[in-house]
Amino acid sequence: MKDDTAKTHTMRAVIQLRDKIMRGELHGGMRLFEVSVADQLEISRTPVREAMSRLTEEGLLERVRSGGFVVRTFSLADVTDAIELRGVLEGTAARLAAERGVPAHDMERLKGIVAKLDDCFGELPEDVDFEGYAELNARFHHELARLSGSEMVCREVERITRLPFASPSAFLPDEANIAAFRRSLQMAQEQHHTIAAAIEAREGFRAESTAREHARAARRNLDYVMSQDRSLIERVPALGLLAG
Amino acid sequence: MKDDTAKTHTMRAVIQLRDKIMRGELHGGMRLFEVSVADQLEISRTPVREAMSRLTEEGLLERVRSGGFVVRTFSLADVTDAIELRGVLEGTAARLAAERGVPAHDMERLKGIVAKLDDCFGELPEDVDFEGYAELNARFHHELARLSGSEMVCREVERITRLPFASPSAFLPDEANIAAFRRSLQMAQEQHHTIAAAIEAREGFRAESTAREHARAARRNLDYVMSQDRSLIERVPALGLLAG
DNA sequence: TGCTCACACAATGTATACATTGCCGATGCC
DNA sequence: GGCATCGGCAATGTATACATTGTGTGAGCA
């Protein structure tokens, strides 16, 4: 199944290296030598090189001036700033959507996603369909980027989103069964409504500032994990590549 | 001298391909085949592949699903949106600098650049040192990104700036001896002052919105070129890669 | 006539041998 | 003792042969 994208040695190398970086097995700043990686993955240098180049595009590796690659280092500040940047970019997407207007059927699709997100909340506060929420949330954010009507903006949103800890779903999957997080989910869903309404009403400023603040929910969750309950770090996969 | 960065076949290929793309010799959407490019540049496929991979990181090429590369297509809308995005990102840099505060000596350096920019304007309106302005302008924008204090923000600003038509100096070099453009230079310099002052006064909103508007000066110049005097297109090198 | 299958060619994917470079350590000279 | 220079090794750079894949075209069949 997953071999759909892993037909070639290059893609397998991309996947394996990405995994190792994410789980912190290859820590930030570590130099990756073509030969040793090739030995370890039991393929030749050529696809390894190709894979490292792709991971550089993805932002997980960096080229060294004199040649070769190192694993990119991410500090806590980088995570915070990446989330802020996602907010800024999604805010821009929302503003442009509002200012330029969106076709009716696209608007309906967005509102449809928001409505389905409502259905993820049951009668009781602790009665939340996390899995469904996560998937619909991802779709909402994807759709929001598209609604900007700008391929350029869409591309940059998806680019920053590809950093695992900056993704809209980074802090969702599993640890949300804490009261504080449940409340933040409710609030986030309120913001989904607001963003959609602002776009429909052509209120650019409101759309932008709400989308920006919406991203900062992730930052609040990050702060909570780091300062209140560091045991959660391991349960947020994306935080495996944090320096330190 | 320029061979500093062109020691290897790979780097020479990067430079030559980039040039050809910029001057429109390789137009958007055109597929680049490893073998034919290798033949043309008289090197083997390996460095060609490496070069194309780097140009993909740079945003000038795109990978094709089934393998291979095409020259990225840039529409007029893409140029407009890239400029808007630069404004958004530089605005974020300015806001963060204001909100988080900057060290005194960094502030002085920024103000020093602004002062030197003042010196580029002579007594007479048409008495402007374009070359000096362009260089100092580039330094101002570079410094602004740094002042954000965020490596992440700095990196993304420099990334979007690498798109030739989105660079702060894209519309400066040469065609500025038109009255309308001279006025826009004066206004831009006013904005430089305002941005610096806002950062120093910790006025985040003002810093952000001014930096954003500042970028839109480039958009105005673009609109002028496209609607009033298309003969200038050829004199703005970055516009060579616009889709026909 | 239209569809499908198969074959061939063209293009990328991969391995590997060889070239080049740049760094580090050892040895010698000052 | 410190510095400079000269190996030598390790790592990347390059070329090329061969493998694999994907695509287009033609023929054959329904």
Side-chain angles (χ1 to χ4, degrees), chain A residues 57-121:
Chain A
E57 287 170 37
E58 223 173 283
L60 293 180
L61 298 183
E62 277 178 337
R63 286 184 192 277
V64 177
R65 210 170 28 78
S66 59
F69 300 83
V70 297
V71 179
R72 189 162 159 200
T73 303
F74 293 103
S75 66
L76 187 54
D78 288 327
V79 177
T80 301
D81 293 342
I83 293 170
E84 178 72 16
L85 271 178
R86 171 166 66 85
V88 165
L89 291 172
E90 288 187 333
T92 299
R95 173 171 59 86
L96 291 183
E99 288 173 353
R100 301 177 177 179
V102 299
H105 64 274
D106 282 340
M107 194 66 235
E108 289 313 311
R109 187 182 309 146
L110 188 72
K111 292 201 286 188
I113 296 172
V114 175
K116 282 195 215 144
L117 275 163
D118 277 332
D119 294 341
C120 293
F121 296 89

Side-chain angles (χ1 to χ4, degrees), chain B residues 117-134 172 176-177 181-183 185-186:
Chain B
L117 275 164
D118 277 332
D119 294 341
C120 293
F121 296 89
E123 306 252 323
L124 298 170
E126 64 270 29
D127 196 11
V128 182
D129 172 12
F130 293 121
E131 207 170 324
Y133 184 93
L172 281 184
N177 44 1
F181 282 179
R182 271 202 303 273
R183 275 196 298 280
L185 272 199
Q186 303 256 9

Side-chain angles (χ1 to χ4, degrees), chain B residues 92-136:
Chain B
T92 300
R95 173 171 61 86
L96 291 183
E99 288 173 352
R100 300 177 179 180
V102 299
H105 64 274
D106 281 342
M107 194 67 235
E108 289 313 312
R109 187 183 307 146
L110 189 71
K111 291 201 287 188
I113 295 172
V114 175
K116 280 194 216 145
L117 275 164
D118 277 332
D119 294 341
C120 293
F121 296 89
E123 306 252 323
L124 298 170
E126 64 270 29
D127 196 11
V128 182
D129 172 12
F130 293 121
E131 207 170 324
Y133 184 93
E135 198 241 315
L136 285 164

Side-chain angles (χ1 to χ4, degrees), chain B:
Chain B
M1 204 78 227
K2 75 174 181 184
D3 286 45
D4 269 356
T5 52
K7 282 196 202 308
T8 65
H9 288 175
T10 299
M11 287 317 272
R12 276 190 287 275
V14 166
I15 291 171
Q16 289 187 61
L17 285 176
R18 192 197 286 127
D19 272 6
K20 288 188 188 203
I21 295 170
M22 298 272 224
R23 69 176 82 251
E25 195 171 325
L26 301 172
H27 61 267
M30 178 184 277
R31 176 101 181 245
L32 292 187
F33 297 109
E34 290 177 6
V35 277
S36 48
V37 172
D39 281 354
Q40 212 176 330
L41 303 184
E42 297 183 288
I43 57 181
S44 77
R45 282 173 51 209
T46 309
V48 166
R49 197 175 242 237
E50 175 73 17
M52 296 203 291
S53 185
R54 286 179 193 236
L55 288 171
T56 302
E57 287 170 35
E58 223 174 282
L60 292 181
L61 298 183
E62 277 178 336
R63 287 182 193 278
V64 177
R65 211 173 20 83
S66 59
F69 300 83
V70 297
V71 179
R72 190 163 158 200
T73 302
F74 292 104
S75 65
L76 187 55
D78 288 327
V79 177
T80 301
D81 293 342
I83 293 171
E84 178 74 15
L85 271 179
R86 170 166 67 83
V88 165
L89 291 172
E90 289 188 332
T92 300
R95 173 171 61 86
L96 291 183
E99 288 173 352
R100 300 177 179 180
V102 299
H105 64 274
D106 281 342
M107 194 67 235
E108 289 313 312
R109 187 183 307 146
L110 189 71
K111 291 201 287 188
I113 295 172
V114 175
K116 280 194 216 145
L117 275 164
D118 277 332
D119 294 341
C120 293
F121 296 89
E123 306 252 323
L124 298 170
E126 64 270 29
D127 196 11
V128 182
D129 172 12
F130 293 121
E131 207 170 324
Y133 184 93
E135 198 241 315
L136 285 164
N137 182 60
R139 274 176 58 196
F140 177 89
H141 284 267
H142 180 75
E143 202 56 33
L144 178 60
R146 258 179 33 79
L147 252 54
S148 70
S150 162
E151 207 186 309
M152 205 82 179
V153 170
C154 198
R155 175 190 292 257
E156 293 304 309
V157 170
E158 314 239 296
R159 183 184 152 72
I160 193 86
T161 292
R162 214 167 295 140
L163 288 177
F165 46 75
S167 138
S169 318
F171 292 89
L172 281 184
D174 167 41
E175 82 288 18
N177 44 1
I178 291 176
F181 282 179
R182 271 202 303 273
R183 275 196 298 280
S184 97
L185 272 199
Q186 303 256 9
M187 183 159 171
Q189 171 63 357
E190 270 310 308
Q191 290 168 327
H192 290 152
H193 278 283
T194 304
I195 292 168
I199 290 174
E200 190 167 28
R202 314 288 293 262
E203 297 166 347
F205 183 87
R206 187 176 172 220
E208 171 164 9
S209 50
T210 307
R212 222 186 245 200
E213 194 57 33
H214 181 60
R216 295 200 184 109
R219 186 164 148 187
R220 259 195 311 281
N221 288 346
L222 170 68
D223 289 344
Y224 180 85
V225 168
M226 297 310 283
S227 65
Q228 300 290 113
D229 189 353
R230 298 181 68 92
S231 72
L232 288 177
I233 291 181
E234 296 153 19
R235 296 173 62 193
V236 181
L239 292 182
L241 45 61
L242 260 187

